[in-house]
Amino acid sequence: MIAAAPDSLVTKQRIHSIDILRGIVMVIMALDHSRDFFHLQSATSDPTNMITTTPFLFFTRWITHFCAPVFVFLSGMASYLAGQKKTTAELSRFLLTRGLWLIAVEILIVSLVLTFNPFYNFILLQVIWAIGISMVIMAALVFLPWNIILYGGLLIFFAHNLLDYPEAARKGNLNLFWSFVHGRNAVIPLNSSHLIFVAYSFLPWTGIMILGFCAGRLFDYRVTPATRKKWLTGLGFVLLVIFTVLRLANGYGDPFPWAIQRSPAISFLSFLNVNKYPPSLLFCCITLGPALLLLAALETTQNRFRRIFEVYGRVPFFYFIGHFLLIHLLCVVLFFA
């Protein structure tokens, strides 16, 4: 359970590195979405297909893998920090209402901006939905002791890929509940003309948010910057070691093993090419590990770029909706031109 901290201490100890890191991934995110709308082969080929990709094309996609997990992780952190000024009941109510609002935004606004279809024949459930449903779940979890929340998050984070085996045995034929929990790009028909595309099945993302929530304790007003930096750096390196060991073993941690390709460079790309839908353990490690290292480094960074990214990081919702709308409008203009 969360104990409210004195308002004066919370305000005095505000940490800007979270906003800066969020701003960095928000800017990077535009690269992938611009490719989706403007790259001629985006609808017919996968930039992570080892047969057809090039290193440059691959990394325009791979670098943006950092965006969603970091965004979800930092949302968990922000939820914990919000709880410092609230009672547990107030925090639970805040997470519940915010989560339901985000789910509604994903369905009503984001789907419309992405499709320009006012009849909602195609509803997409992506990262905003994942954050929203995770917040709804967190609204119940915050009444548990912090240690229990942490253990639950670790269990989901490290063990959810065990679900890959029964899913493979059923050859992807999953029921409705499973499609939302851990399915891979599930298409759910509502009727003959409307369907839902579940790009972000929520269980792994909820695990990431839970760990972000628990990591928020490192930004508690009682934790010194030196201690916080030590923990963030250590955890970041641990995640990178886990990724390297498990990926070399080529067994547990990702449903798609890497393989020797037509050249050493493409083989290296295969090694890095981990599964995002749903995010595998190795996907989470290779993205959150460097993110934690960067978060530690941003603790003392002072330059003009820090201030620029911090601006974007303070308005993530406005930026997310706005950049999709702008990119799609430009795509329409280019199409008719």
Side-chain angles (χ1 to χ4, degrees):
M1 298 177 68
I2 311 302
D7 288 344
S8 59
L9 289 175
V10 174
T11 304
K12 182 179 180 180
Q13 295 295 328
R14 178 179 175 86
I15 306 297
H16 299 278
S17 53
I18 293 177
D19 287 332
I20 299 168
L21 179 58
R22 186 187 294 114
I24 291 173
V25 298
M26 295 296 287
V27 171
I28 293 174
M29 176 182 63
L31 171 65
D32 186 44
H33 296 156
S34 296
R35 180 187 53 76
D36 285 335
F37 279 99
F38 291 101
H39 185 224
L40 290 177
Q41 285 78 41
S42 63
T44 58
S45 64
D46 183 356
T48 62
N49 185 336
M50 295 298 109
I51 297 176
T52 58
T53 194
T54 64
F56 178 79
L57 179 60
F58 175 86
F59 279 108
T60 63
R61 171 58 174 160
W62 186 84
I63 189 65
T64 61
H65 280 345
F66 288 85
C67 301
V70 173
F71 200 39
V72 175
F73 187 83
L74 294 183
S75 295
M77 275 191 172
S79 298
Y80 179 89
L81 295 176
Q84 289 188 304
K85 299 180 180 180
K86 305 176 187 295
T87 65
T88 302
E90 290 171 341
L91 176 60
S92 176
R93 186 164 54 251
F94 166 79
L95 291 171
L96 177 61
T97 54
R98 178 62 62 88
L100 293 174
W101 179 76
L102 288 175
I103 293 172
V105 165
E106 181 76 277
I107 295 172
L108 299 176
I109 299 179
V110 179
S111 290
L112 179 62
V113 168
L114 287 175
T115 65
F116 283 176
N117 182 349
F119 302 105
Y120 294 95
N121 300 95
F122 189 65
I123 297 174
L124 296 96
L125 299 183
Q126 300 187 96
V127 66
I128 299 298
W129 134 265
I131 294 174
I133 189 64
S134 297
M135 283 186 169
V136 171
I137 295 171
M138 285 299 308
L141 295 181
V142 294
F143 290 99
L144 299 174
W146 181 86
N147 287 345
I148 300 299
I149 299 175
L150 175 63
Y151 296 149
L154 290 172
L155 178 63
I156 296 173
F157 188 85
F158 285 104
H160 78 86
N161 277 125
L162 292 173
L163 300 176
D164 294 339
Y165 301 105
E167 289 171 5
R170 300 190 61 175
K171 298 181 180 180
N173 296 318
L174 308 176
N175 60 37
L176 181 63
F177 174 76
W178 201 275
S179 297
F180 280 100
V181 173
H182 200 258
R184 185 171 188 265
N185 292 335
V187 177
I188 302 171
L190 296 177
N191 53 43
S192 60
S193 59
H194 293 78
L195 57 85
I196 296 176
F197 180 68
V198 186
Y200 283 62
S201 49
F202 68 83
L203 181 64
W205 300 105
T206 300
I208 293 174
M209 176 170 283
I210 292 173
L211 293 185
F213 180 87
C214 293
R217 179 172 279 197
L218 295 174
F219 289 84
D220 190 280
Y221 68 95
R222 292 160 292 194
V223 178
T224 65
T227 300
R228 176 167 51 250
K229 188 171 184 178
K230 178 181 177 180
W231 271 96
L232 291 173
T233 302
L235 291 172
F237 278 119
V238 166
L239 290 179
L240 289 178
V241 169
I242 292 173
F243 168 81
T244 303
V245 171
L246 291 181
R247 196 58 169 163
L248 287 172
N250 223 13
Y252 179 76
D254 195 274
F256 302 104
W258 69 281
I260 300 299
Q261 303 294 324
R262 62 186 186 273
S263 70
I266 303 300
S267 296
F268 178 65
L269 300 187
S270 178
F271 185 84
L272 294 178
N273 188 30
V274 285
N275 191 56
K276 180 180 180 180
Y277 303 106
S280 67
L281 168 61
L282 296 186
F283 176 92
C284 297
C285 289
I286 193 59
T287 53
L288 293 178
L292 291 177
L293 295 177
L294 182 57
L295 192 59
L298 290 172
E299 186 80 30
T300 55
T301 301
Q302 295 286 348
N303 53 52
R304 60 178 297 193
F305 295 104
R306 168 189 171 125
R307 293 189 291 272
I308 292 173
F309 287 122
E310 187 173 2
V311 170
Y312 289 109
R314 286 177 176 268
V315 289
F317 179 78
F318 174 80
Y319 177 91
F320 186 86
I321 301 296
H323 95 285
F324 263 131
L325 181 60
L326 176 62
I327 291 171
H328 200 174
L329 285 172
L330 290 175
C331 181
V332 171
V333 171
L334 182 62
F335 172 80
F336 284 105

